[in-house]
Structures are given as C-alpha cells and as structure tokens.
Amino acid sequence: MLTRTALEALARRPAAFLASGWPWRSLAYLLSSTVPGLVVAVTALSISLVGRVPLMVPAGIAAAGLAVPPLARFERWRLRLVDSTPTPRASAGRRRDAAVALFSLFVFWWIDLLVVGATVGGPVVLILSPVLQPTDGAWALAAAFTASAMGLLLLLVAPYTFTAWAGARGALVRTLLAPRETELAEVLRSRARLVDAFETERRRIERDLHDGTQQRLVALSMRLGLARLDLPPDSPLAEQLAQAHEEAKLALVELRELVRGVHPQVLTDRGLAAAVRNVAARSPVPVDVDLSLPRRPPQSVEVAAYYVVSEALANVAKHSRASRAAVRGRLAGGVLTMEIRDDGVGGADPARGTGLTGLADRVAVVDGRLSLSSPAGGPTTMRVEIPCAL
Amino acid sequence: MRVVIAEDAVLLREGLVGLLERFGHTVVASVGDAASLVAAVEEQRPDIVVADVRMPPGFTDEGLRAAFALRAAHPGLAVLLLSQYVEQTYAAELLGSAGGAGIGYLLKERIGDVREFADALVRVAEGGTVIDPEVVRQLLGWRRDPLRRLTPRELEVLALIAEGRSNGSIARALFVSDAAVAKHIASIFAKLDLPPTADGHRRVLAVLAYLQAESR
C-alpha cells in the first residue's frame, strides 16, 4: 500500500510505522512551528516597544496583515512533510491564505510545540530522572528508575501521539488550502454541462443535415430521375444525366453515413437498446446482444453507455481478432451495467488508445465507472456501470 | 391509385406529388404531420399511404405510430413508410404486426430511383412487402448463424426477394435464367427450414424470420 499522508502511515503495522520516515517528518513538521512562534514573539515585542496602547492595535493588525502571504506560503511548503499528495502551488485565494496564516499565528504554533514538549520532552525528563534528581536512599532511587522506565515506554508511544496531531493538523491545513470536495463536484458538473452541450449541438447538426441537406439531395435525385424518364436512353444527354444521378445518390449514401457518425438518431428516437442492436448489427464480428432495460435511462446516461459499446465493438473489430463478441446490458437497482466481451487475443492497453480515455471522461461526467480487463491471450471484457436514479 | 402523402418537408412533398402523378396515380391529399394524416385517411379512404417516419411535432417516429393506428382502424390499408436512416426495429415492428402484407419500408433516398420507387409503391398497394435493401443487408450481417449456410449467390437472391421482386425480376437483375432463380429459392427455403405451405407466403417468411429473430 502506498502511504501518502501521516494519518495513513498511522494505520500501518507498528514496526513498519516506527521504522518509516513518517514519525520524523511529523516531528519536523511540528517543530517548524517555531517559525510562526518567533514571528509572534518578535512582533509582540516590537509593538510593546511602541509603548502607546492606542497605536498598538493598528500596528498589530498591520503586522498580521503583512505576515499573511509569507506564512501561507510557508504552510503550503511544509505541508509536504506530512502529506505527499501534490498541493496547489499557487495561492488558493486571499481568504484561504488569511485563514491558514491566522490559524498558524494564533492557534497552531503553540499547540504544536506543546504536543512535542509533552510527548517527547516529558518522557525524556522522566528517563533522565535518576540523573536529574540525584537522591539518597534505596526507595528514592527505585522511584527514579521506575520513572525512567515509564519514560522509555512513553517515548515509544510518543510517535503515535505527535504523528496523529501532525496528521490532523496537516489535513486541516489542506482543507483550508486546497479546493474542497464541493469545488471538485462543481468542476465535474461543469464538465457534464460541457459534454451535454456538445451532445445537444451534435443532435442539432444531425437534425439539420437530415431535415435540410438530405431532403434537398433527395429532391434533387428525384428531379434527375424524372428527367431521365423524359430523355431517350440513347441520347448523348442521357448518359451525362445518368452520371449526375449516380453522383447524387452516392452523395446521399455518404451523407447517411456521415450523419450516423455525428449522432445516432436511433438513440434519441428509440433508446439505448435499439441503438446497441443497431451498432451490433453493423459489426463485422458477430455480436450476441442480451439486453434487459425495463425503462429508458436519462439521455446523458444513454449517450455515455452507447459510446462505450460503440467504441468497444469498434476495438473488437480492429484489434481483437475475435470470432465472436457479446454485449450484455442490465438496468437494475438504479445502476445501468453494460458489459462487452470478446474471445479475441486480449492485451488491450488503456494507456495506448486515446479512445478509451475519452470514453472514461464521458463516463466520469455521469458518475460512472469504466473498467477493462484484457490479459494477453484474452478474453477482453469492458464493463461500464452508471448510476441512474429511479 | 388514390394516394395520401404525409411528409413535412415541403420540397419533398411537392416532388412526391409530381412523381406519383407522373406515374398515373391520384394524390388525394398531401399533409405535413401525423394528425392531419389520420384525418386525411378517414376522409379520403385511399388505396395507399406514403408517410415519413419522422414528422412534427416530436420529430421521432410519429409517422410510424400513425401508420400503426391507421392499420388497426383500417385493416388492409397499404402503407409505405419512408425513413431517413435504417432502423431494423421499425421494419420488424411493421412486419410483425400484420404479417407484412401491404407494408413497405424504404430509405428516403430510394425516391430518386423513380421507376423502382413507383414499382415498389404498386407492389405494396397490391398487398406485397417491400423492405429496403439496406435493412436486409444489415440483417444479413447480423443473423449470421442460419445464413452462414447460404451461398453468396443465395444471399443475393434473398436480398432481392426482400425487395419484393418476382422470380423473373430477380433473374433479370442477376443475369441468370428463371429456372436457376427457382433453384436458388428452393435451396434458401430448405436451408432456412421453411416448409412448403399452401399459401405460398414463404418469400415473406424468409425475410420475416430474420426481422423477428432480431427483434427478440
């Protein structure tokens, strides 16, 4: 298991935890709080030298204001001691910076130092008690050595205490500095909106092509066909007309293919099941389709699932050398699951094809999960699960 | 023949009227949406309806649903549906409902082949079945298993059967004798386990077998 934060390190086996660098890093993290401590001390001292109470308050506020940017930078910088996940380099906004700096100045630094003092300093003093309190008498000596033994025990558990505090403190600083969950969710929502907007635009283009261009081309082809009826078949014009007619018909075929690529109209009109059967029918590899979708999922879910099936079957045809493929779809318990299997050679690598990452993005914006299992030698299974509220 | 046309694109609707009149048919009504189509059929009682699948107001499958309603109200009414794209489930639903008698399903672009289109219209009006070659081609690609037993030539013949052609027409299209075509067709029926029956609807059944297997 990869340990990324001091808190995660605490959950490891004691031997592994104590032998790791995390206790030392936590200790360094806490001890570095002497820096804000010194800032406070020096500032307080300088202000007290001003000597006049009415001036002290604005001076204090001004000093705190000046200290905010460098302190926020310092907190961000030392966070890596207890949290190795990347921290945002840039400022997270003035209010967040101010919050972290003020916490650091007024709340954290002395608690940090107190924790180190109590957990490390205390036991050390206990251990040294035979030396520090040289007494006569057997009982007193026995007490001193007992205290020493207790100190040793306490020193052994001390890493847990100060690492726990350092981890908790680091988590709080990260929450203050880094974009929170809600902001991540907002980013996801905006990506979902973007994907939706793209899809709406594609539907509009599909409709324009079908209802505009295709109709005109059909009308043109019809006129050419009618004109051919009026010409004797052996006239010189007839051949040119026949050629023009063929061109118009070819344009219609190409347009039909093009429109299907832009947006599968059947998906809008007839839903996921029909669209999946349609794409399976066009696959050069025979595809068994087994779908049980008692209702239509929301449009965005249908579109994402359709593109997964479509891309998976395209990959089956292109790379798998499979003789058969199967698509299985279920909608139960508020989750849509689509599974595409083939009996091909396997070895599909998600890192290689950009198609797969694009699919993962599409699936991610509808909160779905895309998984691929493709051991060398096959078989390959692609699976997508998308929640859809009842 | 008396024809009702339902097509929302004006350019195409007017073109269709011209085309059908050119071939001697009477267009008794030409309308632009499904509701007007139903009304026009009630009023005019035509021999055949030519309708676009996608029409206002929803622009999905209004034409298809109107066709179902009309066939339910007027059994035997011939319907030729025009579609912008190939969708097997449309064809399967159409054929499954009434055994395919008097049903046509063609891509819009087939209108350009004016003579063939006019022929198809007559075949449908006479109770025949016409399915777009593209639909058949996709179905052949899909239901491979029983069709693997067919030779490429037999597949070609089956595709032409699905277009509603007669033996003679198939023979001319493939440049072979009528007897050769009859032999191919007998072989297709045998390989698809279609027993000889009295009513001789095996040609339709051959196509239906695939459509219905697909719409499971």
Side-chain angles (χ1 to χ4, degrees), chain B residues 138-164:
Chain B
Q138 286 195 9
L139 290 174
L140 296 187
W142 188 339
R143 292 288 306 165
R144 245 157 281 252
D145 283 346
L147 289 172
R148 268 196 186 140
R149 289 176 250 159
L150 301 191
T151 65
R153 189 54 139 189
E154 286 163 357
L155 286 176
E156 273 181 279
V157 173
L158 183 58
L160 291 169
I161 292 175
E163 288 180 43

PDB file of all heavy atoms in Angstrom, chain B residues 138-164:
ATOM      1  N   GLN B 138     -28.115  -5.199 -43.539  1.00  0.00           N
ATOM      2  CA  GLN B 138     -27.700  -5.189 -42.134  1.00  0.00           C
ATOM      3  C   GLN B 138     -28.153  -6.441 -41.401  1.00  0.00           C
ATOM      4  O   GLN B 138     -27.434  -6.975 -40.574  1.00  0.00           O
ATOM      5  CB  GLN B 138     -28.271  -3.960 -41.424  1.00  0.00           C
ATOM      6  CG  GLN B 138     -27.561  -2.686 -41.815  1.00  0.00           C
ATOM      7  CD  GLN B 138     -27.865  -1.560 -40.865  1.00  0.00           C
ATOM      8  OE1 GLN B 138     -28.474  -1.755 -39.825  1.00  0.00           O
ATOM      9  NE2 GLN B 138     -27.437  -0.371 -41.224  1.00  0.00           N
ATOM     10  N   LEU B 139     -29.358  -6.886 -41.749  1.00  0.00           N
ATOM     11  CA  LEU B 139     -29.853  -8.092 -41.080  1.00  0.00           C
ATOM     12  C   LEU B 139     -29.031  -9.303 -41.476  1.00  0.00           C
ATOM     13  O   LEU B 139     -28.753 -10.181 -40.664  1.00  0.00           O
ATOM     14  CB  LEU B 139     -31.317  -8.326 -41.436  1.00  0.00           C
ATOM     15  CG  LEU B 139     -32.271  -7.304 -40.834  1.00  0.00           C
ATOM     16  CD1 LEU B 139     -33.663  -7.518 -41.364  1.00  0.00           C
ATOM     17  CD2 LEU B 139     -32.255  -7.419 -39.322  1.00  0.00           C
ATOM     18  N   LEU B 140     -28.611  -9.318 -42.728  1.00  0.00           N
ATOM     19  CA  LEU B 140     -27.774 -10.430 -43.162  1.00  0.00           C
ATOM     20  C   LEU B 140     -26.463 -10.407 -42.387  1.00  0.00           C
ATOM     21  O   LEU B 140     -25.899 -11.449 -42.067  1.00  0.00           O
ATOM     22  CB  LEU B 140     -27.483 -10.334 -44.658  1.00  0.00           C
ATOM     23  CG  LEU B 140     -28.698 -10.456 -45.564  1.00  0.00           C
ATOM     24  CD1 LEU B 140     -28.260 -10.517 -47.016  1.00  0.00           C
ATOM     25  CD2 LEU B 140     -29.516 -11.681 -45.227  1.00  0.00           C
ATOM     26  N   GLY B 141     -25.993  -9.203 -42.095  1.00  0.00           N
ATOM     27  CA  GLY B 141     -24.757  -9.099 -41.336  1.00  0.00           C
ATOM     28  C   GLY B 141     -24.957  -9.530 -39.890  1.00  0.00           C
ATOM     29  O   GLY B 141     -24.021  -9.896 -39.209  1.00  0.00           O
ATOM     30  N   TRP B 142     -26.203  -9.488 -39.437  1.00  0.00           N
ATOM     31  CA  TRP B 142     -26.468  -9.720 -38.039  1.00  0.00           C
ATOM     32  C   TRP B 142     -26.740 -11.186 -37.736  1.00  0.00           C
ATOM     33  O   TRP B 142     -26.039 -11.837 -36.966  1.00  0.00           O
ATOM     34  CB  TRP B 142     -27.694  -8.889 -37.667  1.00  0.00           C
ATOM     35  CG  TRP B 142     -28.014  -8.859 -36.245  1.00  0.00           C
ATOM     36  CD1 TRP B 142     -27.635  -9.756 -35.284  1.00  0.00           C
ATOM     37  CD2 TRP B 142     -28.786  -7.879 -35.592  1.00  0.00           C
ATOM     38  NE1 TRP B 142     -28.129  -9.387 -34.087  1.00  0.00           N
ATOM     39  CE2 TRP B 142     -28.844  -8.248 -34.240  1.00  0.00           C
ATOM     40  CE3 TRP B 142     -29.448  -6.731 -36.023  1.00  0.00           C
ATOM     41  CZ2 TRP B 142     -29.543  -7.486 -33.322  1.00  0.00           C
ATOM     42  CZ3 TRP B 142     -30.128  -6.002 -35.098  1.00  0.00           C
ATOM     43  CH2 TRP B 142     -30.169  -6.369 -33.765  1.00  0.00           C
ATOM     44  N   ARG B 143     -27.813 -11.691 -38.368  1.00  0.00           N
ATOM     45  CA  ARG B 143     -28.219 -13.059 -38.072  1.00  0.00           C
ATOM     46  C   ARG B 143     -27.377 -13.994 -38.919  1.00  0.00           C
ATOM     47  O   ARG B 143     -27.831 -14.597 -39.854  1.00  0.00           O
ATOM     48  CB  ARG B 143     -29.699 -13.233 -38.388  1.00  0.00           C
ATOM     49  CG  ARG B 143     -30.569 -12.458 -37.444  1.00  0.00           C
ATOM     50  CD  ARG B 143     -30.600 -13.070 -36.076  1.00  0.00           C
ATOM     51  NE  ARG B 143     -30.989 -14.468 -36.164  1.00  0.00           N
ATOM     52  CZ  ARG B 143     -30.815 -15.328 -35.165  1.00  0.00           C
ATOM     53  NH1 ARG B 143     -30.231 -14.952 -34.076  1.00  0.00           N
ATOM     54  NH2 ARG B 143     -31.199 -16.563 -35.306  1.00  0.00           N
ATOM     55  N   ARG B 144     -26.153 -14.095 -38.566  1.00  0.00           N
ATOM     56  CA  ARG B 144     -25.229 -14.844 -39.381  1.00  0.00           C
ATOM     57  C   ARG B 144     -25.507 -16.335 -39.348  1.00  0.00           C
ATOM     58  O   ARG B 144     -25.350 -17.022 -40.311  1.00  0.00           O
ATOM     59  CB  ARG B 144     -23.806 -14.625 -38.874  1.00  0.00           C
ATOM     60  CG  ARG B 144     -22.931 -13.926 -39.832  1.00  0.00           C
ATOM     61  CD  ARG B 144     -21.830 -13.302 -39.056  1.00  0.00           C
ATOM     62  NE  ARG B 144     -22.305 -12.083 -38.447  1.00  0.00           N
ATOM     63  CZ  ARG B 144     -21.928 -10.898 -38.859  1.00  0.00           C
ATOM     64  NH1 ARG B 144     -21.067 -10.801 -39.814  1.00  0.00           N
ATOM     65  NH2 ARG B 144     -22.398  -9.817 -38.300  1.00  0.00           N
ATOM     66  N   ASP B 145     -25.879 -16.820 -38.153  1.00  0.00           N
ATOM     67  CA  ASP B 145     -25.839 -18.262 -37.967  1.00  0.00           C
ATOM     68  C   ASP B 145     -26.599 -19.060 -39.028  1.00  0.00           C
ATOM     69  O   ASP B 145     -25.979 -19.834 -39.739  1.00  0.00           O
ATOM     70  CB  ASP B 145     -26.285 -18.628 -36.556  1.00  0.00           C
ATOM     71  CG  ASP B 145     -25.147 -18.347 -35.587  1.00  0.00           C
ATOM     72  OD1 ASP B 145     -24.023 -18.148 -36.077  1.00  0.00           O
ATOM     73  OD2 ASP B 145     -25.384 -18.330 -34.385  1.00  0.00           O
ATOM     74  N   PRO B 146     -27.906 -18.861 -39.138  1.00  0.00           N
ATOM     75  CA  PRO B 146     -28.587 -19.668 -40.158  1.00  0.00           C
ATOM     76  C   PRO B 146     -28.146 -19.268 -41.564  1.00  0.00           C
ATOM     77  O   PRO B 146     -28.145 -20.099 -42.463  1.00  0.00           O
ATOM     78  CB  PRO B 146     -30.066 -19.365 -39.934  1.00  0.00           C
ATOM     79  CG  PRO B 146     -30.113 -18.201 -39.038  1.00  0.00           C
ATOM     80  CD  PRO B 146     -28.814 -18.027 -38.383  1.00  0.00           C
ATOM     81  N   LEU B 147     -27.740 -18.004 -41.701  1.00  0.00           N
ATOM     82  CA  LEU B 147     -27.403 -17.536 -43.040  1.00  0.00           C
ATOM     83  C   LEU B 147     -26.023 -17.981 -43.484  1.00  0.00           C
ATOM     84  O   LEU B 147     -25.696 -17.881 -44.652  1.00  0.00           O
ATOM     85  CB  LEU B 147     -27.501 -16.012 -43.086  1.00  0.00           C
ATOM     86  CG  LEU B 147     -28.944 -15.530 -43.016  1.00  0.00           C
ATOM     87  CD1 LEU B 147     -28.975 -14.034 -42.866  1.00  0.00           C
ATOM     88  CD2 LEU B 147     -29.689 -15.950 -44.256  1.00  0.00           C
ATOM     89  N   ARG B 148     -25.232 -18.453 -42.538  1.00  0.00           N
ATOM     90  CA  ARG B 148     -23.920 -18.965 -42.942  1.00  0.00           C
ATOM     91  C   ARG B 148     -24.077 -20.138 -43.888  1.00  0.00           C
ATOM     92  O   ARG B 148     -23.178 -20.451 -44.642  1.00  0.00           O
ATOM     93  CB  ARG B 148     -23.150 -19.422 -41.704  1.00  0.00           C
ATOM     94  CG  ARG B 148     -22.295 -18.309 -41.145  1.00  0.00           C
ATOM     95  CD  ARG B 148     -21.269 -18.853 -40.197  1.00  0.00           C
ATOM     96  NE  ARG B 148     -20.578 -17.720 -39.580  1.00  0.00           N
ATOM     97  CZ  ARG B 148     -20.230 -17.657 -38.323  1.00  0.00           C
ATOM     98  NH1 ARG B 148     -20.456 -18.677 -37.528  1.00  0.00           N
ATOM     99  NH2 ARG B 148     -19.621 -16.605 -37.853  1.00  0.00           N
ATOM    100  N   ARG B 149     -25.239 -20.782 -43.762  1.00  0.00           N
ATOM    101  CA  ARG B 149     -25.458 -21.950 -44.613  1.00  0.00           C
ATOM    102  C   ARG B 149     -25.742 -21.538 -46.050  1.00  0.00           C
ATOM    103  O   ARG B 149     -25.677 -22.360 -46.945  1.00  0.00           O
ATOM    104  CB  ARG B 149     -26.637 -22.766 -44.062  1.00  0.00           C
ATOM    105  CG  ARG B 149     -26.295 -23.471 -42.754  1.00  0.00           C
ATOM    106  CD  ARG B 149     -27.514 -24.187 -42.208  1.00  0.00           C
ATOM    107  NE  ARG B 149     -28.007 -23.530 -41.014  1.00  0.00           N
ATOM    108  CZ  ARG B 149     -29.236 -23.664 -40.541  1.00  0.00           C
ATOM    109  NH1 ARG B 149     -30.104 -24.415 -41.178  1.00  0.00           N
ATOM    110  NH2 ARG B 149     -29.589 -23.048 -39.452  1.00  0.00           N
ATOM    111  N   LEU B 150     -26.086 -20.261 -46.260  1.00  0.00           N
ATOM    112  CA  LEU B 150     -26.420 -19.830 -47.614  1.00  0.00           C
ATOM    113  C   LEU B 150     -25.156 -19.458 -48.390  1.00  0.00           C
ATOM    114  O   LEU B 150     -24.203 -18.926 -47.823  1.00  0.00           O
ATOM    115  CB  LEU B 150     -27.351 -18.612 -47.575  1.00  0.00           C
ATOM    116  CG  LEU B 150     -28.686 -18.764 -46.866  1.00  0.00           C
ATOM    117  CD1 LEU B 150     -29.566 -17.558 -47.180  1.00  0.00           C
ATOM    118  CD2 LEU B 150     -29.396 -20.038 -47.247  1.00  0.00           C
ATOM    119  N   THR B 151     -25.186 -19.729 -49.679  1.00  0.00           N
ATOM    120  CA  THR B 151     -24.070 -19.310 -50.531  1.00  0.00           C
ATOM    121  C   THR B 151     -24.214 -17.817 -50.817  1.00  0.00           C
ATOM    122  O   THR B 151     -25.308 -17.249 -50.635  1.00  0.00           O
ATOM    123  CB  THR B 151     -24.091 -20.059 -51.872  1.00  0.00           C
ATOM    124  OG1 THR B 151     -25.276 -19.667 -52.569  1.00  0.00           O
ATOM    125  CG2 THR B 151     -24.069 -21.565 -51.672  1.00  0.00           C
ATOM    126  N   PRO B 152     -23.136 -17.158 -51.231  1.00  0.00           N
ATOM    127  CA  PRO B 152     -23.234 -15.724 -51.550  1.00  0.00           C
ATOM    128  C   PRO B 152     -24.337 -15.450 -52.575  1.00  0.00           C
ATOM    129  O   PRO B 152     -25.067 -14.450 -52.459  1.00  0.00           O
ATOM    130  CB  PRO B 152     -21.856 -15.390 -52.130  1.00  0.00           C
ATOM    131  CG  PRO B 152     -20.939 -16.406 -51.535  1.00  0.00           C
ATOM    132  CD  PRO B 152     -21.753 -17.647 -51.349  1.00  0.00           C
ATOM    133  N   ARG B 153     -24.461 -16.317 -53.565  1.00  0.00           N
ATOM    134  CA  ARG B 153     -25.485 -16.125 -54.578  1.00  0.00           C
ATOM    135  C   ARG B 153     -26.877 -16.197 -53.963  1.00  0.00           C
ATOM    136  O   ARG B 153     -27.760 -15.391 -54.275  1.00  0.00           O
ATOM    137  CB  ARG B 153     -25.320 -17.198 -55.667  1.00  0.00           C
ATOM    138  CG  ARG B 153     -26.182 -16.975 -56.885  1.00  0.00           C
ATOM    139  CD  ARG B 153     -25.975 -15.590 -57.466  1.00  0.00           C
ATOM    140  NE  ARG B 153     -25.933 -15.599 -58.924  1.00  0.00           N
ATOM    141  CZ  ARG B 153     -25.598 -14.554 -59.665  1.00  0.00           C
ATOM    142  NH1 ARG B 153     -25.267 -13.424 -59.074  1.00  0.00           N
ATOM    143  NH2 ARG B 153     -25.582 -14.636 -60.963  1.00  0.00           N
ATOM    144  N   GLU B 154     -27.058 -17.157 -53.048  1.00  0.00           N
ATOM    145  CA  GLU B 154     -28.355 -17.296 -52.386  1.00  0.00           C
ATOM    146  C   GLU B 154     -28.668 -16.061 -51.523  1.00  0.00           C
ATOM    147  O   GLU B 154     -29.815 -15.629 -51.431  1.00  0.00           O
ATOM    148  CB  GLU B 154     -28.392 -18.572 -51.539  1.00  0.00           C
ATOM    149  CG  GLU B 154     -28.517 -19.832 -52.392  1.00  0.00           C
ATOM    150  CD  GLU B 154     -28.151 -21.111 -51.641  1.00  0.00           C
ATOM    151  OE1 GLU B 154     -27.736 -21.018 -50.468  1.00  0.00           O
ATOM    152  OE2 GLU B 154     -28.253 -22.180 -52.232  1.00  0.00           O
ATOM    153  N   LEU B 155     -27.625 -15.503 -50.912  1.00  0.00           N
ATOM    154  CA  LEU B 155     -27.822 -14.269 -50.127  1.00  0.00           C
ATOM    155  C   LEU B 155     -28.295 -13.138 -51.027  1.00  0.00           C
ATOM    156  O   LEU B 155     -29.190 -12.369 -50.665  1.00  0.00           O
ATOM    157  CB  LEU B 155     -26.514 -13.869 -49.423  1.00  0.00           C
ATOM    158  CG  LEU B 155     -26.112 -14.712 -48.223  1.00  0.00           C
ATOM    159  CD1 LEU B 155     -24.761 -14.269 -47.700  1.00  0.00           C
ATOM    160  CD2 LEU B 155     -27.155 -14.606 -47.118  1.00  0.00           C
ATOM    161  N   GLU B 156     -27.687 -13.036 -52.196  1.00  0.00           N
ATOM    162  CA  GLU B 156     -28.099 -12.007 -53.152  1.00  0.00           C
ATOM    163  C   GLU B 156     -29.565 -12.184 -53.518  1.00  0.00           C
ATOM    164  O   GLU B 156     -30.340 -11.221 -53.564  1.00  0.00           O
ATOM    165  CB  GLU B 156     -27.262 -12.122 -54.439  1.00  0.00           C
ATOM    166  CG  GLU B 156     -25.960 -11.360 -54.414  1.00  0.00           C
ATOM    167  CD  GLU B 156     -25.246 -11.537 -55.738  1.00  0.00           C
ATOM    168  OE1 GLU B 156     -24.580 -12.585 -55.926  1.00  0.00           O
ATOM    169  OE2 GLU B 156     -25.372 -10.652 -56.593  1.00  0.00           O
ATOM    170  N   VAL B 157     -29.924 -13.445 -53.769  1.00  0.00           N
ATOM    171  CA  VAL B 157     -31.299 -13.731 -54.155  1.00  0.00           C
ATOM    172  C   VAL B 157     -32.246 -13.361 -53.013  1.00  0.00           C
ATOM    173  O   VAL B 157     -33.286 -12.730 -53.224  1.00  0.00           O
ATOM    174  CB  VAL B 157     -31.462 -15.227 -54.536  1.00  0.00           C
ATOM    175  CG1 VAL B 157     -32.932 -15.570 -54.767  1.00  0.00           C
ATOM    176  CG2 VAL B 157     -30.643 -15.543 -55.781  1.00  0.00           C
ATOM    177  N   LEU B 158     -31.855 -13.701 -51.781  1.00  0.00           N
ATOM    178  CA  LEU B 158     -32.696 -13.393 -50.626  1.00  0.00           C
ATOM    179  C   LEU B 158     -32.895 -11.887 -50.481  1.00  0.00           C
ATOM    180  O   LEU B 158     -34.000 -11.413 -50.183  1.00  0.00           O
ATOM    181  CB  LEU B 158     -32.071 -13.974 -49.346  1.00  0.00           C
ATOM    182  CG  LEU B 158     -32.885 -13.786 -48.057  1.00  0.00           C
ATOM    183  CD1 LEU B 158     -34.264 -14.404 -48.198  1.00  0.00           C
ATOM    184  CD2 LEU B 158     -32.163 -14.404 -46.869  1.00  0.00           C
ATOM    185  N   ALA B 159     -31.816 -11.142 -50.704  1.00  0.00           N
ATOM    186  CA  ALA B 159     -31.927  -9.679 -50.619  1.00  0.00           C
ATOM    187  C   ALA B 159     -32.927  -9.171 -51.648  1.00  0.00           C
ATOM    188  O   ALA B 159     -33.712  -8.260 -51.376  1.00  0.00           O
ATOM    189  CB  ALA B 159     -30.560  -9.043 -50.835  1.00  0.00           C
ATOM    190  N   LEU B 160     -32.913  -9.758 -52.834  1.00  0.00           N
ATOM    191  CA  LEU B 160     -33.832  -9.308 -53.881  1.00  0.00           C
ATOM    192  C   LEU B 160     -35.272  -9.741 -53.565  1.00  0.00           C
ATOM    193  O   LEU B 160     -36.222  -9.017 -53.861  1.00  0.00           O
ATOM    194  CB  LEU B 160     -33.389  -9.859 -55.241  1.00  0.00           C
ATOM    195  CG  LEU B 160     -32.076  -9.235 -55.749  1.00  0.00           C
ATOM    196  CD1 LEU B 160     -31.536  -9.990 -56.945  1.00  0.00           C
ATOM    197  CD2 LEU B 160     -32.293  -7.770 -56.092  1.00  0.00           C
ATOM    198  N   ILE B 161     -35.407 -10.917 -52.941  1.00  0.00           N
ATOM    199  CA  ILE B 161     -36.741 -11.347 -52.504  1.00  0.00           C
ATOM    200  C   ILE B 161     -37.308 -10.317 -51.526  1.00  0.00           C
ATOM    201  O   ILE B 161     -38.470  -9.922 -51.599  1.00  0.00           O
ATOM    202  CB  ILE B 161     -36.684 -12.724 -51.799  1.00  0.00           C
ATOM    203  CG1 ILE B 161     -36.319 -13.817 -52.790  1.00  0.00           C
ATOM    204  CG2 ILE B 161     -38.031 -13.054 -51.152  1.00  0.00           C
ATOM    205  CD1 ILE B 161     -36.129 -15.181 -52.142  1.00  0.00           C
ATOM    206  N   ALA B 162     -36.447  -9.872 -50.617  1.00  0.00           N
ATOM    207  CA  ALA B 162     -36.891  -8.925 -49.598  1.00  0.00           C
ATOM    208  C   ALA B 162     -37.360  -7.622 -50.211  1.00  0.00           C
ATOM    209  O   ALA B 162     -38.151  -6.898 -49.625  1.00  0.00           O
ATOM    210  CB  ALA B 162     -35.763  -8.668 -48.604  1.00  0.00           C
ATOM    211  N   GLU B 163     -36.823  -7.309 -51.392  1.00  0.00           N
ATOM    212  CA  GLU B 163     -37.290  -6.098 -52.070  1.00  0.00           C
ATOM    213  C   GLU B 163     -38.651  -6.314 -52.710  1.00  0.00           C
ATOM    214  O   GLU B 163     -39.204  -5.405 -53.314  1.00  0.00           O
ATOM    215  CB  GLU B 163     -36.280  -5.687 -53.144  1.00  0.00           C
ATOM    216  CG  GLU B 163     -34.998  -5.119 -52.574  1.00  0.00           C
ATOM    217  CD  GLU B 163     -34.033  -4.739 -53.684  1.00  0.00           C
ATOM    218  OE1 GLU B 163     -34.482  -4.157 -54.677  1.00  0.00           O
ATOM    219  OE2 GLU B 163     -32.838  -5.052 -53.544  1.00  0.00           O
ATOM    220  N   GLY B 164     -39.144  -7.539 -52.612  1.00  0.00           N
ATOM    221  CA  GLY B 164     -40.473  -7.829 -53.146  1.00  0.00           C
ATOM    222  C   GLY B 164     -40.463  -8.180 -54.624  1.00  0.00           C
ATOM    223  O   GLY B 164     -41.487  -8.081 -55.302  1.00  0.00           O
TER     224      GLY B 164
END
